[in-house]
Amino acid sequence: MEIIIRQDADAASHAAARVVARLVREKPNAVIGLATGSTPLMLYRELVRMHKDDGLDFGEISTFNLDEYVGLEKEHQQSYHSFMWENLFSQINIKPENVHIPDGMAADIPASCAVYEQAVIDAGGIDLQVLGIGSDGHIGFNEPTSSFASRTRIKTLTQQTVADNARFFDGDESKVPPPCITMGIGTIMDARMNLMLAFGEGKADAIAATVEGPVAAIMPASILQHHPSAKVFIDEPAASKLQLADYYRWVYDGKPEWQADA
Ligand code: F6R
């Protein structure tokens, strides 16, 4: 795991955006996995800026989102379809047919999950997966004790995640649908690179456990310790409980120029 600690969320997001942009330039038809929530907003804003100012071209890029609530229409303001179109897709030149987001309204959810998994394989696999992390350590909506071998499937949010996400639903926990569809941990681990973002003190415990704790299903993100190419971009508050923070800063600051955005 490479731990990149930046002063604030903006700087960390910009550093992450440079990694995504480098992939888009080097492999114009890359397959990118995407996350929703508060965390990737600055990353997406920076990618939009790079598209508008620098001509970063998403014309042949394909995307697969991590998750979606079950029972929310695509048009619902809090669906992850709405989130992605509002915050990224409508502002870049991605082709709608290259966008994939689990369908929370599918009549046959297990069948639609199998189709989603197959679509990832047919696309050639995910080159780079963007991840946030739940305060309980979830990645995608793979809540604690999810199998490390899991594939896209239906899951139930923990009460902690329902409480965390109520802020998007007028602060009303009863409006947060507990069932969701999520890519599995096995699917995430198949991505060629994983790029995790985490900001704020509320993520400090989960980040410390993910990076420096034991690999355990109770802390799903800890499986990234087994990934050959996982980068964790965090701000100072999210880094505040890391034992080796000084080491990670020293390594990153000493990276040679040619490795800088790799
Ligand atoms: C959302 C997702 C989740 C979020 C996590 C953090 O697509 O995959 O794992 O990344 O719940 O959410 P925020 O960023 O809102 O703190």
Side-chain angles (χ1 to χ4, degrees):
M1 264 186 185
E2 185 184 8
I3 317 304
I4 297 126
I5 305 171
R6 301 281 83 191
Q7 193 57 33
D8 53 33
D10 222 29
S13 300
H14 285 207
R18 288 196 291 275
V19 175
V20 178
R22 180 179 170 143
L23 171 70
V24 171
R25 289 197 189 97
E26 285 180 354
K27 187 175 179 187
N29 63 346
V31 179
I32 303 181
L34 296 172
T36 56
S38 308
T39 307
L41 282 173
M42 278 168 279
L43 165 67
Y44 295 158
R45 220 170 286 149
E46 178 62 4
L47 292 176
V48 169
R49 190 202 62 74
M50 288 170 157
H51 169 66
K52 291 190 172 149
D53 296 350
D54 311 334
L56 191 64
D57 184 6
F58 293 87
E60 297 305 321
I61 295 291
S62 299
T63 63
F64 285 85
N65 262 78
L66 283 167
D67 38 26
E68 179 59 287
Y69 294 108
V70 167
L72 291 194
E73 302 277 355
K74 287 180 184 168
E75 298 72 28
H76 189 286
Q77 216 193 331
Q78 295 311 332
S79 78
Y80 287 161
H81 277 81
S82 298
F83 177 99
M84 290 308 304
W85 282 98
E86 184 181 332
N87 293 297
L88 183 64
F89 298 148
S90 64
Q91 300 174 64
I92 57 175
N93 64 328
I94 196 157
K95 292 184 185 132
E97 63 270 29
N98 288 347
V99 166
H100 305 84
I101 304 175
D103 180 2
M105 295 298 287
D108 184 341
I109 288 181
S112 78
C113 291
V115 167
Y116 203 73
E117 279 289 321
Q118 191 57 48
V120 171
I121 293 166
D122 293 347
I126 293 172
D127 291 298
L128 183 155
Q129 176 67 55
V130 175
L131 296 171
I133 182 170
S135 58
D136 63 1
H138 69 220
I139 46 176
F141 276 145
N142 294 286
E143 295 288 24
T145 72
S146 287
S147 163
F148 286 157
S150 51
R151 294 283 156 188
T152 304
R153 70 210 183 291
I154 192 163
K155 282 292 291 181
T156 304
L157 300 181
T158 58
Q159 284 150 307
Q160 187 174 337
T161 302
V162 168
D164 286 347
N165 287 5
R167 70 189 191 284
F168 297 113
F169 293 82
D170 311 318
D172 184 349
E173 290 183 21
S174 71
K175 289 187 185 165
V176 183
C180 56
I181 296 173
T182 181
M183 258 186 213
I185 296 179
T187 323
I188 292 169
M189 288 295 284
D190 282 348
R192 293 176 192 101
M193 181 192 289
N194 268 290
L195 191 159
M196 171 174 276
L197 300 164
F199 309 131
E201 220 183 322
K203 300 289 173 73
D205 284 320
I207 285 296
T210 294
V211 175
E212 297 175 341
V215 175
I218 196 75
M219 184 51 58
S222 64
I223 190 63
L224 292 175
Q225 293 179 29
H226 284 272
H227 195 278
S229 180
K231 294 176 188 291
V232 181
F233 291 84
I234 50 181
D235 62 2
E236 288 289 350
S240 59
K241 297 196 174 163
L242 288 170
Q243 291 176 41
L244 298 184
D246 285 343
Y247 170 63
Y248 309 136
R249 286 190 197 94
W250 180 71
V251 170
Y252 188 71
D253 292 344
K255 264 184 146 187
E257 183 70 20
W258 61 270
Q259 245 191 350
D261 296 336

